[in-house]
Amino acid sequence: FAAALLKKMPGLSRVYFSNSGSEANEKAYKIVRQIAHKKYDGKKFKIVYRERDYHGTTITTLSSGGQNERRAQYGPYTPGFVEMPHCCEYRSQYGDIDNYGERAAHELERVILEEGADTVGAVVLEPITAGGGAITPPEGYWETIQEICQKYDILIIVDEVVCGMGRTGKWFGYEHYGVKPDIVT
């Protein structure tokens, strides 16, 4: 199954099996922390997550969850997770602008620079925000996210627990946007 799955995921070379989406995301976060220790003296351990995205119900995946109503009464949370604003164009934070997707993606860069690029190891995003509603990203969003991550040597974790396995018409939701993830859960 792992070999067949990898044929559907060009550029990726390993499969790790998990019992749930929460465990898959937790495993991805552990990989980021391992890389931080092996390559960056433990410094690039922070993971940026997006407001409104949902990544699971363990304490650590709640730490990366952008839905406060699901997080209520479970803190304190695992340190090292930092929130960035959503990309829901119909709830625009910037008013009516032509390049909303690019502008929303640049919030990632703002967070990276505030935290220190040498401390941020990854960003975790749903390709289509599912837990917060079926919200597709605006034009230019994923391309800009990819550029920012390449610029600052940051891994892209795509949470496909809801969008994957053909649920969007392609094998994975990220395929709709041309993004090349480092880790897919």
Side-chain angles (χ1 to χ4, degrees):
F1 178 73
L5 187 59
L6 285 172
K7 287 179 184 175
K8 304 285 184 196
M9 305 172 81
L12 298 174
S13 60
R14 293 181 183 93
V15 172
Y16 299 95
F17 294 99
S18 296
N19 292 317
S20 69
S22 293
E23 288 183 34
N25 287 322
E26 185 104 9
K27 189 171 287 193
Y29 303 160
K30 289 168 74 175
I31 290 169
V32 172
R33 299 273 170 103
Q34 283 180 320
I35 291 169
H37 285 282
K38 289 185 176 274
K39 289 180 68 176
Y40 304 104
D41 205 25
K43 292 179 184 170
K44 268 178 103 64
F45 69 94
K46 293 179 186 172
I47 298 171
V48 178
Y49 65 94
R50 184 172 56 199
E51 177 188 12
R52 299 192 61 78
D53 279 7
Y54 174 73
H55 301 295
T57 57
T58 66
I59 294 297
T60 297
T61 56
L62 283 171
S63 301
S64 68
Q67 298 178 358
N68 291 331
E69 63 278 5
R70 291 183 193 256
R71 295 168 44 122
Q73 302 177 14
Y74 296 114
Y77 301 104
T78 307
F81 291 88
V82 184
E83 187 176 82
M84 67 181 272
H86 65 74
C87 66
C88 307
E89 195 165 9
Y90 69 93
R91 291 190 175 165
S92 176
Q93 311 92 306
Y94 320 110
D96 188 23
I97 60 173
D98 291 333
N99 63 341
Y100 180 81
E102 294 170 31
R103 173 66 183 89
H106 276 290
E107 289 293 334
L108 173 60
E109 187 167 33
R110 179 188 59 76
V111 169
I112 291 166
L113 295 174
E114 281 179 5
E115 294 294 319
D118 61 333
T119 69
V120 178
V123 60
V124 59
L125 302 166
E126 290 180 291
I128 297 168
T129 300
I135 302 166
T136 56
E139 188 176 328
Y141 185 79
W142 273 106
E143 296 88 341
T144 305
I145 291 290
Q146 182 97 39
E147 290 169 11
I148 292 166
C149 289
Q150 289 171 347
K151 179 178 179 180
Y152 294 103
D153 191 25
I154 292 173
L155 300 173
I156 297 175
I157 303 169
V158 178
D159 180 344
E160 290 278 358
V161 174
V162 173
C163 295
M165 299 297 137
R167 292 184 184 111
T168 66
K170 294 187 181 264
W171 273 101
F172 297 97
Y174 71 84
E175 293 177 285
H176 293 282
Y177 307 106
V179 67
K180 294 178 175 63
D182 299 290
I183 299 173
V184 176
T185 61

